[in-house]
Amino acid sequence: MYYAAPIARLLEELERLPGVGPKSAQRIAYHILRSEAEGTARLAEALLEVKRVIHFCPRCFDFTEGDLCATCADPERDAATVCVVEEPRDVVAIERTGGYRGLYHVLGGVISPVDGVGPEQLRVRELLDHIAEGTVTEVVVATNTTVEGETTALYLARMLKPLGLKVTRIASGLPVGGDLEYADEVTLGRALEARREL
Amino acid sequence: MTILVGPNAIGKSNLLEAVTLVSSATSFRQFSWPDVVKEGEALARVRLDAERGLVPVRLGLDVESSGRKSFFVDGTKKRKASDVAGRVPVVTFVPDDLQLAKGSGEVRRHALDVLGSQLSPAYGTLRSEYGKIVRQRTALLKQGEARRDTVEWDEVLARTGASFFIHRARLASRIEEAIVPFYETLSVGERVEMRFETSWGGETRPPREWAAASRDEVEWLMREALERVSRKERARGVTLVGPHRDDLVLLIEGLSARGFASQGQQRSLALAWKMAEAEVVGAVLGCTPVLLLDDVMSELDEKRRAALQEFVESGPQALLTTTNLAYFAPEMLEEAEIVEVADVR
Ligand SMILES: [Zn+2]
């Protein structure tokens, strides 16, 4: 072994993180070893705290520290419109455009048979429950413009349209096969504005 | 013209393969990205400096041992292969290409798609999206018992499949147009034609007819066909309809090349196809492709060797490999830069 056991253990944990290969893991580990104990304590505390206090909002399934997330709790938001996204990070991307005033629903993924993900593995039931309350009139499907995102949008349209809702899809100005993450704010803002009915 | 000469299996082809990997994100051999990296190494790296017109282009490719890859154009990292393909167009000619006449539909589909992806990013994107749809839909069909609904996958398969097929048909019709005179010269007067044999579109039709078809029509035909085979697909757990099952049939004087082409006709057809590829690249991208010829001289007789030589000399640059310089005409050797290759693996 090249490393002392505690260092090896740290490297092993770091390498499990997304986008961190052996080289970056080594760089991070050595940075931590060189830095002051105080800074490392803050990092460790921050890691533990997110895990302790952050949970899913029971209404939209975005991350939150309160009972409801800030968006769901905000009486100024338009409760008649729900925007369906794949992941919590997509909420951030859309909020950044500043142009959307409705609520969200985080599916927790997209339909992908290769990965064994069907509608039952996503939060579709919870979306239907929310809609059953009767305040929602439009559902904006803002899944990514990938093959899986499009297919999921078609599936949702098939489920929701018989309920008498307006179901719209963000416009195709977005790069094909693209993640919302990579779209800049202006493009994404426009795509939301120019949504079309499914 | 550069000729790499050396005995078999010392890695001459690897050099040509590196050029195809960095310029078109594909290879003329069966390959997987992790295998590109040498055993025990963390990274494979290719850098290619080229000139297009008078404009320098620098392409790069890094492949990690996990198979993760990054492309670079003039130092800028690119996420997708379609951002790189076509910057430095290449046409490869390898012994396997002799299967273009007699091989399965897969061989011709692959040749068209590799070329198409270089000619247009849309072609490349459609190809990779379509492939994903087939994999996803097939995975769903394989779930058998559960018999989950494929409505949405049928829809995206027909939509993307139709666009992809029309792109492919347009390209095939250009290849057909270009191949006819080349083949006529090589074969002394024989006529070659092409037809698409599809799993969804009824009787065979020439590429130019499909190229002019409307997307709606093709989409509708694919939907209908999917409905017809639905039961069979579910029983077998395969996607039976779509461009991944199509064949581009070659006819020589009205007879199927797959069934009837002689050795000589197969060679002429492969050579004419490659010449047609180069011509289409020139017409679409406005620049002549670099030719990469892996040990094909030995596969040809004297007459076709002369034709290939003329073809090579008409292009701006060619990289050739051979085990034996005797396959080349003396005039050709005089002009070529000859590199003796020791073991480069
Ligand atoms: Zn919420």
Side-chain angles (χ1 to χ4, degrees), chain B residues 75-300:
Chain B
T76 312
K77 194 166 175 166
K78 300 285 178 188
R79 280 200 314 132
K80 290 183 294 180
S82 60
D83 293 328
V84 178
R87 304 268 178 164
V88 179
V90 299
V91 165
T92 58
F93 189 13
V94 303
D96 279 351
D97 288 324
L98 297 172
Q99 294 298 314
L100 276 165
K102 286 237 166 180
S104 67
E106 161 79 34
V107 178
R108 290 172 294 280
R109 284 197 302 270
H110 182 76
L112 284 174
D113 293 349
V114 167
L115 180 64
S117 305
Q118 287 194 71
L119 296 179
S120 113
Y123 194 119
T125 305
L126 282 168
R127 177 194 186 195
S128 86
E129 286 202 339
Y130 180 77
K132 246 195 241 167
I133 292 168
V134 172
R135 280 194 298 281
Q136 291 281 24
R137 190 173 178 279
T138 304
L140 195 55
L141 289 170
K142 280 204 200 313
Q143 292 175 0
E145 285 291 312
R147 282 212 173 172
R148 277 209 289 210
D149 233 1
T150 60
V151 186
E152 281 78 32
W153 291 107
D154 297 357
E155 175 67 22
V156 290
L157 181 108
R159 260 194 224 168
T160 308
S163 296
F164 178 39
F165 175 72
I166 289 176
H167 272 73
R168 202 192 253 164
R170 286 190 188 141
L171 178 62
S173 109
R174 300 193 78 137
I175 291 284
E176 185 182 24
E177 213 175 295
I179 202 174
V180 169
F182 288 130
Y183 188 74
E184 204 175 71
T185 312
L186 285 167
S187 65
V188 198
E190 283 178 357
R191 180 166 177 77
V192 62
E193 288 169 282
M194 293 181 175
R195 296 274 186 282
F196 267 111
E197 207 171 85
T198 69
S199 47
W200 46 270
E203 55 190 71
T204 63
R205 281 160 72 175
R208 64 177 174 284
E209 274 181 31
W210 281 123
S214 80
R215 212 191 72 157
D216 287 348
E217 185 202 345
V218 174
E219 216 177 297
W220 184 83
L221 285 167
M222 284 184 190
R223 260 196 218 107
E224 292 281 295
L226 280 169
E227 213 160 318
R228 279 198 301 275
V229 299
S230 165
R231 193 178 293 247
K232 220 202 256 171
E233 282 190 322
R234 266 152 243 269
R236 289 173 49 189
V238 239
T239 293
L240 292 171
V241 164
H244 66 294
R245 310 273 294 201
D246 295 347
D247 192 0
L248 181 68
V249 178
L250 297 168
L251 303 171
I252 299 172
E253 295 290 315
L255 284 177
S256 147
R258 198 169 168 189
F260 300 102
S262 68
Q263 287 273 340
Q265 285 172 324
Q266 289 173 54
R267 296 193 162 110
S268 293
L269 211 44
L271 181 52
W273 179 298
K274 291 294 151 183
M275 291 170 162
E277 280 193 10
E279 183 159 304
V280 172
V281 169
V284 174
L285 296 178
C287 72
T288 324
V290 172
L291 303 176
L292 304 171
L293 279 64
D294 191 27
D295 200 22
V296 278
M297 283 295 185
S298 60
E299 305 281 344
L300 302 178

Side-chain angles (χ1 to χ4, degrees), chain A residues 1-17 20-33:
Chain A
M1 262 327 276
Y2 307 118
Y3 300 109
I7 300 181
R9 209 176 315 136
L10 174 60
L11 288 172
E12 202 187 316
E13 291 303 326
L14 287 172
E15 281 178 39
R16 284 187 197 165
L17 299 173
V20 180
K23 282 228 168 100
S24 336
Q26 193 195 45
R27 206 175 314 136
I28 297 168
Y30 282 177
H31 172 83
I32 290 172
L33 286 168

Side-chain angles (χ1 to χ4, degrees), chain A residues 57 59-61 69 72:
Chain A
C57 168
R59 204 163 166 69
C60 71
F61 300 91
C69 73
C72 289

